[in-house]
Amino acid sequence: MSESHEERNITPPRTKGPTRTQAKVVIPDEQSMVGLLGSRDEILRVIEKAFRADIHVRGNEITVTGSPEESGAVVRLFEELVELLRTGAQLTPDSVERVITMLRMSSERPAEVLSLDILSARGRTIRPKTVNQKRYVDAIDKHTIVFGIGPAGTGKTYLAMAKAVRALQAKEVNRIILTRPAVEAGERLGFLPGTLYEKIDPYLRPLYDALHDMLDPETIPKLMAAGTIEVAPLAYMRGRTLNDAFIILDEAQNTSPEQMKMFLTRLGFGSKIVVTGDITQVDLPEGQESGLKVVREILDGIDDIHFATLTSVDVVRHRLVSEIVDAYNRYDADLRQREPHAIKGGKRPRGR
């Protein structure tokens, strides 16, 4: 153990209140305290900052003093963290902050959420990192058509692709089809240089990038040549019936209602569809309605179709991304209140 965890008081003393209680957590001997508390106690300091409680560490015994609610919450947190370590997870300040958020906002156990393996590939395991992400992947298992709607960085497409790759490996489907509408940030393909493929390829590149995270790069060209994996613009879906396939439509906010209907009716036997998008980032021409915005009104309540909503809480990129999403949402809400007609067509600055 590189750091000493002899007796020490991590938290400055607070003014003693009338309802302070003391609770103790004994960490199993086989558990590394450095793995639990972090290098130089970086994880412990995250916990101290999040709770109004004094935390005292002596060997493998942690004493928590504070209100009954805060002390109990800290004890539950350490129990969840120990369970996560037992599953082989590595704790980081970011992951511990997510666990704290789950404990405060959900009745589900963080250890059950964060230990769910979706796909193991290329030396890493893909797991949900928030409660809503777990509910989203659970919905994909249970329903034929799932809509994943939420801001950038919430893992909508990445998790769907991990489920698709796992389904292919388990022979639940014969092929994966990944598609996007060829509309991006107000650009028009006709004004871009190159052949049609060269014009379209940059719009599909994020899907290729995710595939490279999940499959051996050497196998991807072979799978694509065999038609086992297809990455194509949405227009290429017209007139087809897609059987025994896992089909993902990404950036669906940039579909028209007609395109959305066309895509959904490609569903064949033995297939599953996941539609992902962010209704606050529509790049369609002025006045054009987004198919993703209206589809819920049309299909809500139909059996075997599920709408999963993710929020800024589910953003798993840099901490600032979540704060940026919230800031834009506040700005937009304030702008609508002051100038109801200032924002038309749901247009927002781009960002994936």
Side-chain angles (χ1 to χ4, degrees), residues 76-77 80-81 84 98-103 106-116 128 131:
R76 288 195 300 275
L77 172 63
E80 293 296 316
L81 297 182
L84 278 170
R98 285 193 288 270
V99 172
I100 293 170
T101 299
M102 288 184 214
L103 285 173
S106 172
S107 59
E108 298 187 50
R109 288 195 61 191
E112 293 180 359
V113 173
L114 298 175
S115 61
L116 174 66
V131 171

Side-chain angles (χ1 to χ4, degrees), residues 28 73 81 94 294:
L81 297 182
D94 284 345
V294 300

Side-chain angles (χ1 to χ4, degrees), residues 1 25-34 36 58-61 82 86:
M1 198 161 70
V25 182
V26 178
I27 307 303
D29 291 336
E30 65 272 15
Q31 177 58 62
S32 163
M33 294 301 287
V34 174
L36 178 65
R58 181 178 183 180
N60 68 335
E61 185 175 282
V82 169
R86 284 193 185 121

Side-chain angles (χ1 to χ4, degrees), residues 92-135:
T92 66
D94 284 345
S95 67
V96 171
E97 286 181 354
R98 285 193 288 270
V99 172
I100 293 170
T101 299
M102 288 184 214
L103 285 173
R104 286 176 169 165
M105 300 182 64
S106 172
S107 59
E108 298 187 50
R109 288 195 61 191
E112 293 180 359
V113 173
L114 298 175
S115 61
L116 174 66
D117 293 348
I118 300 174
L119 180 70
S120 294
R122 306 195 68 194
R124 59 191 292 264
T125 300
I126 299 172
R127 299 183 175 105
K129 295 183 178 180
T130 70
V131 171
N132 283 338
Q133 285 190 354
K134 181 179 183 296
R135 291 171 181 169

Side-chain angles (χ1 to χ4, degrees), residues 10-76:
I10 300 300
T11 312
R14 303 176 190 272
T15 303
K16 189 173 181 180
T19 59
R20 288 169 69 83
T21 61
Q22 188 176 89
K24 291 186 178 182
V25 182
V26 178
I27 307 303
D29 291 336
E30 65 272 15
Q31 177 58 62
S32 163
M33 294 301 287
V34 174
L36 178 65
L37 304 179
S39 175
R40 300 188 180 183
D41 293 330
E42 61 176 353
I43 289 174
L44 188 54
R45 297 190 190 284
V46 168
I47 298 170
E48 188 278 331
K49 185 178 179 181
F51 295 94
R52 295 186 60 81
D54 297 333
I55 303 173
H56 187 77
V57 179
R58 181 178 183 180
N60 68 335
E61 185 175 282
I62 300 173
T63 303
V64 184
T65 306
S67 70
E69 295 79 10
E70 290 290 277
S71 296
V74 175
V75 169
R76 288 195 300 275

Side-chain angles (χ1 to χ4, degrees), residues 18-319:
T19 59
R20 288 169 69 83
T21 61
Q22 188 176 89
K24 291 186 178 182
V25 182
V26 178
I27 307 303
D29 291 336
E30 65 272 15
Q31 177 58 62
S32 163
M33 294 301 287
V34 174
L36 178 65
L37 304 179
S39 175
R40 300 188 180 183
D41 293 330
E42 61 176 353
I43 289 174
L44 188 54
R45 297 190 190 284
V46 168
I47 298 170
E48 188 278 331
K49 185 178 179 181
F51 295 94
R52 295 186 60 81
D54 297 333
I55 303 173
H56 187 77
V57 179
R58 181 178 183 180
N60 68 335
E61 185 175 282
I62 300 173
T63 303
V64 184
T65 306
S67 70
E69 295 79 10
E70 290 290 277
S71 296
V74 175
V75 169
R76 288 195 300 275
L77 172 63
F78 277 114
E79 291 171 347
E80 293 296 316
L81 297 182
V82 169
E83 185 60 31
L84 278 170
L85 289 169
R86 284 193 185 121
T87 68
Q90 290 187 335
L91 301 181
T92 66
D94 284 345
S95 67
V96 171
E97 286 181 354
R98 285 193 288 270
V99 172
I100 293 170
T101 299
M102 288 184 214
L103 285 173
R104 286 176 169 165
M105 300 182 64
S106 172
S107 59
E108 298 187 50
R109 288 195 61 191
E112 293 180 359
V113 173
L114 298 175
S115 61
L116 174 66
D117 293 348
I118 300 174
L119 180 70
S120 294
R122 306 195 68 194
R124 59 191 292 264
T125 300
I126 299 172
R127 299 183 175 105
K129 295 183 178 180
T130 70
V131 171
N132 283 338
Q133 285 190 354
K134 181 179 183 296
R135 291 171 181 169
Y136 173 50
V137 297
D138 286 345
I140 292 173
D141 286 333
K142 296 175 183 177
H143 300 276
T144 299
I145 298 178
V146 173
F147 291 83
I149 302 173
T154 51
K156 306 178 297 296
T157 305
Y158 198 83
L159 292 172
M161 291 184 65
K163 294 294 290 183
V165 171
R166 179 164 181 170
L168 182 67
Q169 293 175 342
K171 301 188 185 304
E172 296 170 5
V173 297
N174 295 330
R175 56 182 169 159
I176 297 172
I177 299 174
L178 311 172
T179 184
R180 274 184 165 193
V183 177
E184 198 83 9
E187 296 173 354
R188 298 293 180 269
L189 293 181
F191 291 99
L192 297 177
T195 64
L196 178 61
Y197 175 81
E198 290 170 335
K199 292 177 181 183
I200 290 171
D201 185 64
Y203 299 102
L204 304 176
R205 180 53 51 188
L207 302 179
Y208 289 109
D209 292 342
L211 279 178
H212 278 261
D213 283 352
M214 301 173 193
L215 293 169
D216 185 341
E218 294 180 357
T219 68
I220 294 174
K222 298 176 184 177
L223 292 170
M224 296 185 71
T228 304
I229 295 179
E230 179 181 348
V231 183
L234 179 59
Y236 284 35
M237 300 298 110
R238 191 174 298 277
R240 303 171 64 183
T241 300
L242 305 174
N243 295 315
D244 300 313
F246 197 117
I247 313 152
I248 299 173
L249 170 59
D250 189 33
E251 296 284 351
Q253 73 275 5
N254 290 328
T255 63
S256 67
E258 294 77 17
Q259 286 176 314
M260 180 65 75
K261 178 182 177 182
M262 178 276 292
F263 172 75
L264 294 174
T265 54
R266 301 308 94 197
L267 178 68
F269 294 107
S271 290
K272 187 180 289 287
I273 283 178
V274 179
V275 178
T276 67
D278 178 359
I279 57 175
T280 71
Q281 295 193 26
V282 178
D283 295 317
L284 294 170
E286 192 73 29
Q288 172 68 65
E289 193 169 29
S290 168
L292 187 61
K293 282 191 171 184
V294 300
V295 71
R296 188 165 196 159
E297 298 176 23
I298 298 169
L299 301 182
D300 197 23
I302 295 180
D303 188 45
D304 212 19
I305 296 178
H306 180 82
F307 289 85
T309 300
L310 297 105
T311 70
S312 61
V313 173
D314 304 298
V315 171
V316 292
R317 294 179 182 170
H318 191 284
R319 171 188 56 81

